[in-house]
Amino acid sequence: MCQGELSRGATKFSELGAGAVLSPNSQRAMQLIDPRIFEGFQRRAAFGVDPPDENGIFPWMTMTKGQSLDIGEPVMQWNHEIRGSTIHRAHFLDELAELIEPNHAHFGKSVTKISENGDDNPIILNFKDGTTAEADLVIELVPDHGTTLGWSIWEMPPAPTYYKGRVAIMGDAAHASTSYQDAGAGQTIEDSLVMERLLGKYFDPEREKVHALDTVETTHLIFQAFGTVRRHRSQKFQTTSSETGRILTGAEPGVSMKAADMSKRMDGRQDWMWNYDQEMQVKDAMLIFEEVEWSRARNAANSSA
Ligand SMILES: Cc1cc2nc3c(=O)[nH]c(=O)nc-3n(C[C@H](O)[C@H](O)[C@H](O)COP(=O)(O)OP(=O)(O)OC[C@H]3O[C@@H](n4cnc5c(N)ncnc54)[C@H](O)[C@@H]3O)c2cc1C
């Protein structure tokens, strides 16, 4: 989620000076990946100062019409039981960097090429500095274009798949979106949760001892399960984010620039995204993996009987 140079010279991420709103679903995903990530977020985030209402609900985002004829009329009011907050990206990255075990990350590297030459060979990564590395699987977080070029905001068309062979994409590389719902990083954190749980469970050496799939088959199945659960949600977000942009700029057919009209279309627009059962998403992905794994084991047993 960082932009600009990665360096760990001794050990440092660098980042553009922008802030990010990390929505309630992003915060829950952080907690589920590792409570220490959420603790770091809480240490560095700036929290809204408005008190909650009588039901304990905090205001998050308020938008009013800035143009005549109905200037000052409400367009949008998003609220949540979690207090609204924003964080400077560099501060968040500092907290993440603290959690990386030494020798588990190499900074200041720029990938120029990824080559997969058959399942029996490792994937080769070429770097700009002339060095290479070998990998069993690769997860790309680098959009083919960066999402911001000058003041243009770009989005990707819906990708038909999030993996090919042993190379998967996630984050903006998979579903770069417009920024009208302040949630692209949140989708990236949700991706990380699902991928982290799948990799952790199915590459656990104890489990590998009793299951028949090899590294390549396990990788394919993890990526398949990941893509199946993540594509729908992240691409729905791309679609609604674009639509939000069109509504707020008067470009959505059938929605006038009257505050009341825009407000009707903005109402509840974030609910599905903010209030989501993330554990269920992980369970769904694991179910997909295990159903295929089980049917392969059954077929293998039948054919050897
Ligand atoms: C104006 C704007 C405002 C936004 N506001 C919000 C917000 O408030 N809340 C929110 O949730 N989201 C927001 N987003 C979206 C959010 O910034 C992205 O969705 C998020 O940064 C995606 O994270 P990522 O890790 O996938 O990609 P990135 O953050 O783009 O990270 C990719 C990294 O890969 C590095 N890299 C590039 N090429 C190579 C290479 N060849 N080799 C090695 N490394 C490379 C890059 O330097 C970068 O560090 C906003 C986006 C924009 C444009």
Side-chain angles (χ1 to χ4, degrees), residues 13 23-24 30 56 67 69 79 92 97 106 114 118 127 130 134 139 144 151 189 200 213 217 275 292 300 305:
F13 281 112
S23 48
M30 281 179 219
Q67 273 179 329
L69 298 169
N79 308 309
F92 189 44
H106 301 277
I114 300 172
F127 298 98
E134 294 185 356
I139 299 167
D144 280 344
W151 291 105
I189 298 170
L213 299 182
E217 289 169 324
N275 302 318
V292 178

Side-chain angles (χ1 to χ4, degrees), residues 36 129 160 221 258 266 269:
R36 293 174 304 165
D129 60 10
L221 210 42
K258 286 186 186 144
M266 291 301 292
R269 182 158 279 269

Side-chain angles (χ1 to χ4, degrees), residues 1-2 4 20-21 89 109-111 141-142 148 171-172 182-186 188:
M1 294 193 314
C2 52
V21 175
R89 289 165 188 240
K109 292 279 191 187
S110 182
V111 178
L141 273 161
V142 180
T148 315
D172 274 12
D182 284 341
T188 305

Side-chain angles (χ1 to χ4, degrees), residues 50 81 117 124 168 175 188 195 231 253 264 276 291:
D50 292 327
E81 64 207 29
N117 302 306
I124 305 294
H175 44 72
T188 305
M195 188 64 95
R231 263 181 65 226
K264 208 155 54 178
Y276 186 65
E291 276 182 356

Side-chain angles (χ1 to χ4, degrees), residues 10-59:
T11 312
K12 197 172 176 305
F13 281 112
S14 70
E15 171 56 290
L16 296 178
V21 175
L22 293 180
S23 48
N25 57 305
S26 329
Q27 296 184 31
R28 272 197 308 280
M30 281 179 219
Q31 278 171 296
L32 292 170
I33 296 169
D34 187 332
R36 293 174 304 165
I37 298 176
F38 184 60
E39 286 160 19
F41 168 78
Q42 286 192 306
R43 261 196 299 277
R44 306 297 285 271
F47 291 91
V49 291
D50 292 327
D53 67 14
E54 64 280 8
N55 300 314
I57 305 296
F58 293 94

